[in-house]
């Protein structure tokens, strides 16, 4: 896996945002795979700046987010969808009818658990119908997860309902005002879904991510460390700052 080290987080964020902007200028209806979490926030802020100051037009892109908590309506301010609207879609001018989440809701109502496989299949089909993902952004979770593909996820996994790892729930506790309020399950794109993206940019910033970067580089195809499945993909680049580099 290729690793690109930048002097600073801001420099890395500018580079990734510039790459996305270049893609969208060539193909205004490019398909972007998006991530939540602290890691991609600077890239999103930079895309919004490029829109404001350089007239970058993102109104025709299609987007697919990696994951969503089960049971949170798209209108719930704690949903990843609401977060994405605040952090990217509205400030960057992305059309809200061109974004897609594996949220398990249909016409504003939660789908029953038994029916989720159908909803997950429809999400996979929507990606295929859009022509596949041109560029996928990814972060790495504390236990090596990508999206919500927790340890134990297989290389062949597809979009599905998963149980969240205790660390993942712990890491979200502050945002939800206590561990007991963090959903126990989520729907995530699978590892195989992610690996079908034509390009993948894995971002990791700060000393806290250093050990995760090391293990991701040192491990191959190990279900105990889902980020290790990325090694088999020629279009993957690990984008890090000095502190996260090893
Ligand atoms: C969450 C998300 C992941 C993200 C990870 C790391 O669980 N589902 O997509 O990559 O956490 O989060 P952060 O970027 O805040 O370190």
């Amino acid at each position: 896996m290729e690793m690109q080290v930048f002097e600073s987080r801001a420099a890395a964020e500018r580079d990734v945002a510039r790459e996305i902007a270049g893609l969208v200028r060539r193909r205004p209806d490019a398909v972007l795979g998006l991530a939540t979490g602290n890691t991609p926030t600077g890239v999103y802020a930079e895309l919004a700046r490029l829109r404001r100051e350089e007239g970058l037009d993102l109104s025709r892109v299609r987007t697919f987010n990696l994951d969503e908590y089960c049971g949170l309506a798209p209108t719930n301010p704690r949903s990843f969808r609401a977060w994405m609207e605040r952090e990217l879609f509205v400030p960057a001018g992305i059309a809200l009818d061109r974004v897609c989440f594996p949220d398990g809701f249909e016409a504003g109502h939660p789908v029953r658990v038994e029916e989720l496989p159908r909803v997950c299949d429809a999400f996979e089909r929507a990606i295929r119908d859009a022509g596949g993902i041109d560029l996928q952004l990814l972060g790495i979770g504390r236990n090596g997860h990508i999206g919500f593909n927790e340890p134990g996820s297989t290389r062949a996994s597809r979009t599905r309902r998963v149980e969240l790892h205790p660390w993942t729930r712990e890491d979200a506790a502050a945002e939800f005002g206590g561990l007991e309020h963090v959903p126990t399950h989520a729907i995530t794109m699978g590892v195989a879904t992610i690996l079908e993206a034509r390009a993948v940019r894995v971002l990791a910033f700060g000393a806290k991510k250093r050990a995760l970067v090391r293990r991701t580089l040192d491990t191959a195809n190990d279900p105990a460390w889902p980020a290790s499945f990325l090694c088999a993909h020629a279009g993957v680049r690990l984008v890090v700052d000095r502190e996260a580099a090893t």
Side-chain angles (χ1 to χ4, degrees):
M1 194 185 314
E2 189 195 334
M3 177 163 81
Q4 203 178 2
V5 184
F6 288 85
E7 268 315 310
S8 67
R9 174 174 179 163
E13 292 166 342
R14 275 196 300 276
D15 189 80
V16 173
R18 208 174 307 125
E19 182 179 17
I20 294 171
L23 170 67
V24 174
R25 285 188 179 112
R26 283 193 306 281
R27 287 237 347 249
D29 58 349
V31 182
L32 304 177
L34 301 174
T36 50
N38 173 55
T39 304
T41 51
V43 173
Y44 296 159
E46 178 63 9
L47 286 172
R49 190 194 67 77
L50 289 173
R51 178 206 189 199
R52 275 194 321 273
E53 296 177 12
E54 297 181 20
L56 175 67
D57 180 6
L58 290 153
S59 63
R60 288 175 57 201
V61 299
R62 294 279 325 257
T63 73
F64 291 90
N65 261 79
L66 281 168
D67 43 23
E68 181 59 280
Y69 292 111
C70 280
L72 294 197
T75 50
N76 186 316
R78 285 180 176 145
S79 67
F80 282 160
R81 188 198 164 101
W83 186 93
M84 287 297 305
E85 285 188 20
R86 293 190 297 269
E87 293 287 324
L88 180 70
F89 298 152
V90 172
I94 290 176
L96 296 181
D97 59 353
R98 297 177 69 77
V99 307
C100 194
F101 284 75
D103 57 18
F105 275 71
E106 278 177 345
H109 297 286
V111 167
R112 292 208 314 271
V113 174
E114 315 82 79
E115 287 195 45
L116 285 178
R118 176 179 58 75
V119 173
C120 294
D121 286 352
F123 182 78
E124 294 265 340
R125 206 171 325 112
I127 296 176
R128 278 198 302 278
D129 289 350
I133 292 172
D134 292 307
L135 188 145
Q136 174 71 54
L137 288 181
L138 274 187
I140 307 175
R142 189 152 52 113
N143 56 9
H145 74 205
I146 48 174
F148 277 137
N149 291 284
E150 304 283 28
S153 299
T154 66
R155 161 73 179 79
S157 58
R158 289 280 167 189
T159 302
R160 68 205 186 284
R161 176 178 183 264
V162 292
E163 183 172 1
L164 296 174
H165 188 277
W167 291 1
T168 304
R169 295 189 62 239
E170 247 173 50
D171 288 346
E175 247 161 276
F176 279 87
L179 186 60
E180 68 277 22
H181 303 300
V182 182
T184 55
H185 290 75
I187 302 176
T188 182
M189 269 189 208
V191 174
T193 323
I194 292 169
L195 290 176
E196 277 169 5
R198 285 182 274 281
V200 180
R201 300 294 172 254
V202 190
L203 315 181
F205 304 126
K208 255 172 63 185
K209 297 278 176 175
R210 193 179 301 143
L212 312 188
V213 168
R214 181 77 272 155
R215 187 156 172 196
T216 301
L217 290 170
D218 285 351
T219 320
N221 299 314
D222 182 358
W225 194 258
S228 69
F229 288 117
L230 297 167
C231 70
H233 190 309
V236 173
R237 193 187 305 151
L238 195 49
V239 178
V240 303
D241 59 5
R242 282 244 163 266
E243 287 81 64
T246 58

